[in-house]
Amino acid sequence: MNLTHFSRSLRGVVVAIPLAFAVFLPRQALAETLADALVGAYETSGLLDQNRALLRAADEDVASAKAALKPVLRWAGGLTQNFGSTRASSLAPAQSTDSLTASINLIGELLLYDFGASQYRVEATKETVLATRQTLLDIEQRVLLRAVAAYMGVIEASDAVALRNNNLRLLTQELQAARDRFDVGEVTSTDIAIAQAQLAEARSGLAGAEGALMQAVEEYRNVVGRKPGNLVPPPQLPNIDGNLDAAKALAVRQHPTVLAAQHQVAAARLAVKSNEASMSPRVTLQGSYGISETFDSKRYSRSGSIGVEAGQTIYQGGALSSAVRRAMAQEDAQRANLHVVSREVVQEVGNAYASLASARAQLEASDRQIRAARAAFEGVREEAKLGARTTIDVLDAEQVLLDAQSTRVTARANLYIAAYAVLASTGRLTAADLRLPVQLYDAAAYYKLYAVRRSHTYSLALDLRFRGFFVLWG
């Protein structure tokens, strides 16, 4: 092998080694961002799958409602065995009347006009579908917000464990320093006992922090669909408008729960019209064609009929009027629900902005507290070396620093959660708004495939037939 070929082979090996590590390296060792967590939650959420199925079921309600405007075609058949005998007189021989007859009938029925009752029901189910789509978007926001909370929860718990470990290391050093000072007579056994007590408390705190981390990991696994890898610090906070009034107005206009409530009001209004129209006459076109044939005989019959039938329920014990009043009451309830939902959304926006401002203030205050506590701790520890401070002073200063650092960890997590909660409160925490690299679920695809496409041609013909019927009744 010449030198050039060996050099090329060596370069190939050098390139292949990192690729092999990248392939076989466990996922936990790979960096994982907040966007990765959001993608995982969007793609593996069982709650989203459940509500997508509920949306498809609502789409089928539209197809079922449209079926009332389409022809009804059915068949009925039968096989009849007749037996017996007849005799014309006492002297005449008996003759058998046994026969086997088969018949089949084809029956068709088409609604021509019902004063819009069926069409109102179709429109009402369409509004229900639109409301269900908005409900799905609201569920999507909740899933993504929970993913943000799970991501920050793991980071917060991991930082808390790191702080506790560092605190345990410092307290171990302080305990050893107290023992060294005890050996030279600078402190008493009480100082050693205090340091031991603080060290035991630190071990207890570390155990609690590790337990909280395990719980955070389980929450992450549940929400995202896998164990957390090497979570990187979250990116910059999302861009949030500081105008609270504008945010409230935006939420009332575009929050999914408000839009869903609006569609529910429209569906209830159409239900009232449908029940009112149901008290009017119905005009239907009916037709049938049948064949009847007797075996072992030349007898057969073929018959058909076609006609227009009109009818109306005059009295049904008050059931029709009761249905109208019930629909009116439901419409009033939906209007009240829209009012309640709008106010709750406005309150949610205000709460989210308040939480965001509070988290920002806590984070800034904790930064100042950490700087002051660290300076105090370092000063107290140096003074203790000179005998001007006691061991308990050093331990107290260390505890103050630990508390400040823990407060900052919690405040940072709360800040990110509050920022994304603001987006959710204004209806902007969706996969499309966040531009997540996922295949977005098309909420209208199933509806177009089954509820619209199959009935479009017939609906057009039926509409023309309605217009012709209206002209005849003119």
Side-chain angles (χ1 to χ4, degrees):
M1 180 182 295
N2 57 32
L3 184 60
T4 303
H5 182 71
F6 177 76
S7 176
R8 292 177 180 175
S9 300
L10 182 61
R11 285 198 300 270
V13 173
V14 171
V15 172
I17 289 176
L19 292 178
F21 274 110
V23 172
F24 295 103
L25 197 64
R27 182 172 182 85
Q28 287 77 4
L30 301 177
E32 189 167 345
T33 64
L34 177 58
D36 294 331
L38 294 175
V39 169
Y42 184 83
E43 293 179 339
T44 63
S45 173
L47 187 60
L48 283 177
D49 291 339
Q50 175 192 1
N51 283 271
R52 288 166 182 168
L54 292 177
L55 175 59
R56 294 194 295 271
D59 292 339
E60 293 297 340
D61 290 338
V62 177
S64 298
K66 285 185 175 181
L69 300 173
K70 299 179 182 180
V72 178
L73 191 64
R74 62 183 185 274
W75 67 271
L79 189 65
T80 304
Q81 173 68 56
N82 298 313
F83 54 88
S85 62
T86 62
R87 189 170 63 177
S89 64
S90 59
L91 299 178
Q95 295 182 351
S96 174
T97 59
D98 294 353
S99 65
L100 180 62
T101 303
S103 63
I104 184 169
N105 295 277
L106 187 64
I107 304 101
E109 182 178 334
L110 173 64
L111 175 66
L112 294 179
Y113 187 60
D114 64 351
F115 288 86
S118 298
Q119 188 62 43
Y120 283 137
R121 281 192 287 270
V122 171
E123 297 303 322
T125 54
K126 288 181 179 179
E127 291 294 336
T128 302
V129 166
L130 295 177
T132 307
R133 290 180 186 177
Q134 295 299 325
T135 300
L136 177 60
L137 282 179
D138 185 53
I139 296 296
E140 180 180 322
Q141 288 200 136
R142 297 181 187 180
V143 168
L144 295 180
L145 183 59
R146 187 177 176 185
V148 173
Y151 187 91
M152 295 307 303
V154 173
I155 291 180
E156 177 186 0
S158 300
D159 290 345
V161 169
L163 288 175
R164 292 288 179 177
N165 274 315
N166 184 61
N167 180 57
L168 184 63
R169 179 182 59 81
L170 291 176
L171 290 177
T172 302
Q173 294 176 356
E174 292 299 329
L175 176 59
Q176 184 60 44
R179 286 172 176 169
D180 294 339
R181 295 170 64 189
F182 175 77
D183 292 338
V184 296
E186 293 182 0
V187 298
T188 65
S189 59
T190 303
D191 295 284
I192 296 178
I194 292 173
Q196 290 174 339
Q198 290 282 14
L199 183 61
E201 182 180 0
R203 290 196 177 103
S204 175
L206 176 60
E210 290 174 344
L213 176 58
M214 294 174 62
Q215 292 177 349
V217 168
E218 292 302 322
E219 170 69 7
Y220 188 95
R221 188 206 302 268
N222 182 26
V223 176
V224 181
R226 60 176 181 269
K227 290 181 63 176
N230 182 22
L231 303 188
V232 300
Q236 294 182 353
L237 291 174
N239 187 20
I240 296 175
D241 187 5
N243 191 332
L244 178 58
D245 293 334
K248 290 181 178 180
L250 178 65
V252 172
R253 290 196 306 270
Q254 71 175 27
H255 196 279
T257 57
V258 176
L259 298 180
Q262 291 174 352
H263 289 300
Q264 289 167 353
V265 171
R269 185 187 310 114
L270 290 167
V272 172
K273 294 182 178 180
S274 176
N275 282 278
E276 290 175 343
S278 296
M279 303 176 69
S280 302
R282 287 171 53 93
V283 181
T284 58
L285 175 67
Q286 295 180 339
S288 65
Y289 182 78
I291 301 175
S292 177
E293 183 173 350
T294 302
F295 294 97
D296 297 331
S297 174
K298 295 182 179 180
R299 290 179 298 172
Y300 71 91
S301 65
R302 292 184 176 89
S303 62
S305 65
I306 186 170
V308 177
E309 180 178 318
Q312 178 183 9
T313 301
I314 298 176
Y315 180 71
Q316 198 177 354
L320 296 178
S321 300
S322 175
V324 173
R325 294 193 299 270
R326 181 176 182 272
M328 289 180 176
Q330 289 179 335
E331 181 185 4
D332 293 339
Q334 293 298 337
R335 290 183 183 278
N337 178 64
L338 175 59
H339 181 66
V340 172
V341 168
S342 299
R343 295 184 63 176
E344 288 180 348
V345 165
V346 170
Q347 179 185 1
E348 185 178 350
V349 173
N351 293 342
Y353 268 83
S355 298
L356 180 61
S358 175
R360 280 175 173 167
Q362 288 180 354
L363 186 61
E364 294 174 358
S366 62
D367 286 336
R368 293 192 296 269
Q369 184 182 5
I370 287 174
R371 289 193 296 269
R374 181 175 288 111
F377 169 69
E378 293 174 354
V380 170
R381 186 168 56 179
E382 292 300 324
E383 292 175 1
K385 293 178 181 179
L386 300 176
R389 294 283 186 172
T390 64
T391 300
I392 192 171
D393 292 332
V394 177
L395 298 177
D396 288 343
E398 166 63 16
Q399 185 62 43
V400 171
L401 178 59
L402 175 63
D403 292 341
Q405 292 171 334
S406 299
T407 300
R408 188 188 187 285
V409 168
T410 302
R412 186 183 67 166
N414 291 340
L415 177 63
Y416 275 87
I417 296 174
Y420 283 94
V422 168
L423 295 182
S425 67
T426 54
R428 294 178 294 166
L429 190 63
T430 63
D433 291 321
L434 298 177
R435 297 181 180 179
L436 296 180
V438 295
Q439 181 65 40
L440 296 177
Y441 181 78
D442 188 356
Y446 187 88
Y447 176 84
K448 294 176 181 178
L449 181 62
Y450 292 100
V452 175
R453 189 180 68 180
R454 294 185 178 182
S455 61
H456 177 72
T457 303
Y458 178 76
S459 296
L460 179 59
L462 191 61
D463 180 65
L464 295 176
R465 189 175 306 171
F466 282 163
R467 295 184 183 183
F469 186 78
F470 295 154
V471 172
L472 290 177
W473 276 59

